[in-house]
Amino acid sequence: MLDTILLNEPLARREAPPAYSFEPCSGERRLELTPRHGHTPLTGSIIKRFAMLSLVLPEQEDGAQIPSYGRNGVIDGVFCFDDPSRIIKVMIKLHGKAETTTTESGANTKCLLNDQYTLWQKNNVDESSCPNQLNFACALPSTYSEGNGAKPLPPSFHFAIPGFSIKIHYCILVQITLKRRSKLDFSSSVKEYPVLFKYWPRSRPNRPFEATPCFLFSVKTLPEEWHQTISSLKTRSNELARETLHCHFFVPSIRIFGLSDTIPFHVQLDGPISSLREFFPPDILQRVTSADSSLSAPSVRPKSAGRKSEGKQHSVRAQLLQQIVVMVGSCKVVKNSTVGEGVVHPLPPSLYRDRCLGTTEETLDWEGFVKCNDDVKVGSFSTGLLQVQHFLSLSLTPLDVRRSPFQVLNIHVPVKLVTDSYEDYG
């Protein structure tokens, strides 16, 4: 309650908080504890040294060089001044901007955050000088003004390729007003010291998804856990053939995943045997020797993440795609990039599937998983200037694209990526 009152005061200044220990001290005991997996107290500190002051920012990760804060976070710390006798005023300004540069729309800037707080000010000549140490606390807003409403404050983000650049950045600007040494002192009386910080609001899925080892059993007993997308392969004439192939793409129905989640999927391709043979060359698609056996799925070697494709394209490929959309007036610029490469395995025919001699229809199945690359730190978000959205992409490519009568099939399922997994919260 006390911190709330202090943060609402026009002077964002507070006294040092009492000492706190995460573990019970001598003579103390826990009355109740609900542990949260994966989140330990932050015990590191970041110290920024400038010409006339030092800034200490506690509760940071050990070894971090740039401070980071989450949703509704509080930027608190301590100023240590070398010569406080000359200080007349101490202010903190919080700045946030979204900057986009594209060859189509040029450079544009959107202000996201512009708050300022006066920490200390000398009101008259008789007042004592600024203290050697000055504690402060500034609360970050969770929204910013957009048109007639408010939108969530977007996270720190940076993406750049030739002709296309996106940067969302935040900064603490320390402003010190000094008393001049003499009338002949023409140096600037206002000193400014910027400190960049990262804003990473955390979020998680609203429920877990069940990753069962057997898809066929799961889709029958828990069909609501899977989202199905059906698409038909088109021929080179851009029309659906009478004996076409149908692809069924199954992903968890929640479609909200943490950046560290392993996302399972299932692919099913069915249609006439003659069409399957036209899509897959004979050396890839082979029949088992017995007359009533099914077609065996192509043995697709998965492409490992971060490694370039070698040789021919894979016939079945799954990826996580990131799409950035920049809107400036009537100009819309879209850029796609791959942020995760899937692993695909063929499945043998089901032992419980009905077999009939002379059948003309067959089904091939694959299963796999995909997850974000380790360097992805920001999930899906939207502002008035840009959108960052994600898709789970499936592509079926004939190994002989020139001769195959079928076109490449691409399926894109929208998903939302968030910072944390559901399991991280216990």
Side-chain angles (χ1 to χ4, degrees):
M1 182 65 181
L2 179 59
D3 281 350
T4 304
I5 296 175
L6 289 173
L7 292 175
N8 291 331
E9 289 292 325
L11 300 184
R13 175 184 171 188
R14 70 177 185 182
E15 299 301 326
Y20 171 78
S21 174
F22 182 73
E23 297 295 332
C25 299
S26 177
E28 298 178 343
R29 65 184 180 91
R30 287 193 178 100
L31 298 179
E32 185 176 358
L33 174 66
T34 304
R36 290 187 174 183
H37 302 290
H39 301 298
T40 57
L42 300 178
T43 57
S45 296
I46 294 178
I47 301 177
K48 297 292 183 179
R49 303 186 188 277
F50 301 101
M52 59 175 299
L53 62 91
S54 296
L55 172 61
V56 181
L57 299 171
E59 298 181 3
Q60 301 294 323
E61 293 185 359
D62 292 332
Q65 300 297 319
I66 300 177
S68 61
Y69 302 93
R71 182 180 290 106
N72 295 321
V74 177
I75 301 176
D76 62 346
V78 181
F79 285 114
C80 299
F81 301 105
D82 296 337
D83 184 12
S85 61
R86 293 187 57 211
I87 296 177
I88 299 176
K89 187 176 181 181
V90 180
M91 291 186 64
I92 280 186
K93 298 182 179 180
L94 303 182
H95 290 308
K97 293 182 180 180
E99 300 175 342
T100 65
T101 303
T102 67
T103 54
E104 295 85 351
S105 61
N108 294 274
T109 301
K110 171 69 177 179
C111 180
L112 303 173
L113 177 62
N114 188 21
D115 293 344
Q116 64 181 25
Y117 304 92
T118 300
L119 306 185
W120 184 87
Q121 184 173 6
K122 189 171 185 178
N123 296 321
N124 54 68
V125 294
D126 297 329
E127 187 177 352
S128 61
S129 62
C130 178
N132 292 327
Q133 292 188 359
L134 196 61
N135 298 77
F136 69 94
C138 304
L140 284 171
S142 59
T143 60
Y144 75 99
S145 299
E146 180 66 46
N148 296 326
K151 285 193 174 183
L153 197 66
S156 301
F157 182 74
H158 184 229
F159 179 85
I161 58 176
F164 187 89
S165 174
I166 304 294
K167 187 176 183 180
I168 298 177
H169 57 98
Y170 297 91
C171 175
I172 306 170
L173 186 63
V174 183
Q175 189 178 85
I176 309 294
T177 304
L178 302 174
K179 179 175 59 177
R180 296 187 184 275
R181 291 186 176 93
S182 65
K183 295 181 179 180
L184 299 179
D185 184 3
F186 298 105
S187 61
S188 176
S189 61
V190 178
K191 306 293 185 182
E192 293 186 337
Y193 306 99
V195 178
L196 294 177
F197 72 91
K198 295 178 181 179
Y199 176 65
W200 281 343
R202 287 167 47 188
S203 55
R204 65 160 181 166
N206 57 356
R207 65 178 180 87
F209 61 89
E210 300 293 334
T212 57
C214 181
F215 166 78
L216 294 179
F217 174 79
S218 173
V219 78
K220 291 180 180 179
T221 58
L222 298 170
E224 68 279 0
E225 292 294 328
W226 293 95
H227 172 81
Q228 181 181 12
T229 302
I230 304 175
S231 186
S232 300
L233 279 73
K234 294 183 178 181
T235 61
R236 290 194 175 276
S237 61
N238 205 28
E239 296 178 357
L240 292 177
R242 182 179 62 180
E243 296 184 346
T244 191
L245 299 174
H246 304 280
C247 180
H248 306 258
F249 188 31
F250 296 87
V251 301
S253 60
I254 184 173
R255 289 189 287 168
I256 305 176
F257 309 102
L259 294 176
S260 61
D261 281 342
T262 299
I263 308 171
F265 60 84
H266 187 92
V267 181
Q268 191 173 84
L269 185 65
D270 61 59
I273 295 178
S274 58
S275 296
L276 290 172
R277 290 188 178 278
E278 289 180 334
F279 190 83
F280 297 106
D283 61 330
I284 299 297
L285 184 64
Q286 298 177 351
R287 290 185 58 87
V288 183
T289 54
S290 59
D292 60 343
S293 62
S294 96
L295 294 167
S296 60
S299 180
V300 180
R301 183 180 66 178
K303 174 185 174 185
S304 61
R307 192 173 63 185
K308 293 184 179 180
S309 177
E310 300 177 358
K312 295 182 179 180
Q313 286 184 303
H314 304 301
S315 56
V316 181
R317 186 180 183 185
Q319 296 174 293
L320 266 176
L321 299 182
Q322 176 179 267
Q323 184 178 86
I324 302 177
V325 182
V326 176
M327 294 292 300
V328 180
S330 59
C331 182
K332 180 179 180 180
V333 184
V334 180
K335 296 295 179 181
N336 297 322
S337 61
T338 302
V339 295
E341 194 72 41
V343 176
V344 186
H345 300 287
L347 293 179
S350 172
L351 297 176
Y352 303 98
R353 195 161 57 192
D354 293 335
R355 306 286 180 212
C356 297
L357 290 176
T359 181
T360 60
E361 297 285 332
E362 257 304 344
T363 299
L364 302 180
D365 292 273
W366 295 264
E367 70 177 3
F369 63 88
V370 63
K371 65 181 301 183
C372 280
N373 298 334
D374 294 337
D375 58 349
V376 178
K377 303 298 182 183
V378 179
S380 310
F381 67 92
S382 175
T383 72
L385 189 61
L386 65 98
Q387 292 181 344
V388 176
Q389 47 199 5
H390 295 86
F391 298 87
L392 187 53
S393 172
L394 173 72
S395 62
L396 268 64
T397 306
L399 294 187
D400 194 342
V401 179
R402 296 180 180 179
R403 297 182 181 180
S404 175
F406 291 100
Q407 298 181 9
V408 176
L409 174 67
N410 292 299
I411 299 176
H412 302 292
V413 179
V415 297
K416 182 178 181 180
L417 297 184
V418 293
T419 57
D420 297 350
S421 302
Y422 184 89
E423 289 76 11
D424 289 344
Y425 288 77

